[in-house]
Amino acid sequence: MAEPNKVATLTLDGKTHELPVHKGSIGPDVVDITKLYGETGAFTYDPGFTSTAACQSSITYIDGDEGILLYRGYPIEHLAEQGDFIETCYLLYYGELPTAQQRKAFEKNITYHTMVHEQMAQFFRGFRRDAHPMAVMVATVGAMAAFYHDSIDINDARQREIASHRMIAKMPTIAAMAYKYSIGQPFVYPRNDLGYAANFLRMCFAVPCEDYVVNPVFARAMDRIFTLHADHEQNASTSTVRLAGSSGANPFACIAAGIACLWGPAHGGANEAALNMLKEIGKKENIPAFIDKVKDKSSNVRLMGFGHRVYKNYDPRAIIMQKTAYEVFDALGVDDDPLLEVARELERIALSDEYFISRKLYPNVDFYSGIILRALGFPTSMFTVLFAVARTIGWISQWKEMIAEPNQKIGRPRQLYVGSERRDYVSLSRRG
Ligand code: ACO
């Protein structure tokens, strides 16, 4: 970390303390409170970590006011439109875009590790068929540590790399197996001649009696969805992965923890909620009444897919999602999909309405992604699973960055204790 260029002062109990202020390469200054407890005996209080930087990172940068998202400095729009997911994985993991030779080697490495240990199929068969695919994902990804225990020594850089490659490569296979199992179809093995997204679509939609010929527009759409969700700095699931990893837990266990966190509706489940809302509205004529309901605070109805904790401007990913939705519907030969029509009209009305303008509420990445995934043939129960496939590279890159940090220590937040003070044990017969 660079030497601090200014200090903040804090006065507590009449004593003044100087706190170093660090400057990032871009973004807000950060007040360093690491010595605060030692010097003052006081902790800071920040539930939800809304004002706390828990780590240094050089992977992803977000400027929510300006609607900017950079992976290793490159705008998300450039990567989604001019690059692809494999390149994005390389960039996030290694820090630079690959040369042609590096890309070829990396792609081959990932492609040739997509198959999972055959014994994992037995493991899948232990689940109920009606289990949620995210429950199956948490368990099977955690179980990878049992199948690939030759790559769980986190102190060995080569083993860390092998485990990372394994997860990037096998996550689509595991996700497709979770889907196939839930619909009672046989697992479809990966094919080494297909690209990452196309292979995934085929593993989900082919059956032994009929192959699935991947439409390149669909493969491109899937690839973009993966790219747009690849990383998003220190969000809840990424912070979970870092915290789990800070104890020295193996990478498969850490990613399983990230998947568990992502499963929550406030994190990975929003595109499902947005799609359900569009279905509930049903047609354009019902939009004004729905908007009235959203503005009525007593209704507790929100416009799903609108607003974001960090973006107070257009989510840059939403613009690409909207374009991708049109491409997919074009390829399907559908020019009047009612849900797409409702989405477009809802967006138009909301963007010109004072309620949304004054609160800086813009469409987020989830507004259009549900429509696209539904058009590709995925049921809503798979939406969060697809998010997990995409986010694996972000989680694993952040985990790798954390492990390589020389001053890395176990995460241990403090608390503001508001419980009972010390009291003596009362035997059962004397309790009222
Ligand atoms: N629809 C209607 N009003 C909204 C919405 C919305 N989607 N989002 C925020 N508001 C209003 C709130 O009612 C509040 O109004 P008030 O000032 O009159 O009380 C104001 O905007 C600020 O709301 P907060 O909840 O404080 O904003 P916050 O930044 O904390 O919320 C959140 C962010 C949770 C994402 C919110 O916008 C929301 O619930 N959106 C819908 C769910 C959604 O799409 N989530 C996906 C996020 S993207 C992702 O996770 C990948």
Side-chain angles (χ1 to χ4, degrees), residues 272-283 286 338-339 342 370 374 378-380 383:
E272 183 174 341
L275 184 69
N276 288 339
M277 176 196 72
L278 295 176
K279 282 187 197 158
E280 185 195 321
I281 298 173
K283 49 186 180 186
N286 297 337
L339 292 195
V342 170
R374 173 177 152 271
F378 288 105
T380 47
F383 288 6

Side-chain angles (χ1 to χ4, degrees), residues 167-187:
M167 267 183 282
I168 302 165
K170 296 182 200 304
M171 201 61 81
T173 314
I174 292 174
M177 287 170 85
Y179 174 54
K180 285 300 200 191
Y181 190 74
S182 72
I183 55 170
Q185 290 186 1
F187 300 134

Side-chain angles (χ1 to χ4, degrees), residues 266-267 270 294 297 302-309 312 317 355-356 359 361 364-366 387:
H267 194 0
V294 167
K297 293 279 170 198
R302 285 198 167 194
L303 186 48
M304 299 312 285
F306 256 69
H308 195 278
R309 177 58 54 80
K312 300 301 171 195
R317 301 168 299 174
Y355 175 95
F356 297 94
R359 288 171 180 78
L361 298 171
N364 61 47
V365 66
D366 291 318
F387 194 160

Side-chain angles (χ1 to χ4, degrees), residues 112 259 385 430:
Y112 279 73
I259 296 173
V385 173
R430 291 182 49 227

Side-chain angles (χ1 to χ4, degrees), residues 185-207:
Q185 290 186 1
F187 300 134
V188 174
Y189 286 89
R191 251 183 43 193
N192 289 354
D193 59 331
L194 292 175
Y196 193 87
N199 198 16
F200 175 60
L201 288 174
R202 188 182 161 274
M203 285 191 287
C204 288
F205 299 123
V207 281

Side-chain angles (χ1 to χ4, degrees), residues 86 106-115 169 190-194 199:
I86 277 290
F106 181 68
E107 191 162 17
K108 180 154 191 265
N109 203 356
I110 296 301
T111 307
Y112 279 73
H113 287 93
T114 44
M115 251 171 72
R191 251 183 43 193
N192 289 354
D193 59 331
L194 292 175
N199 198 16

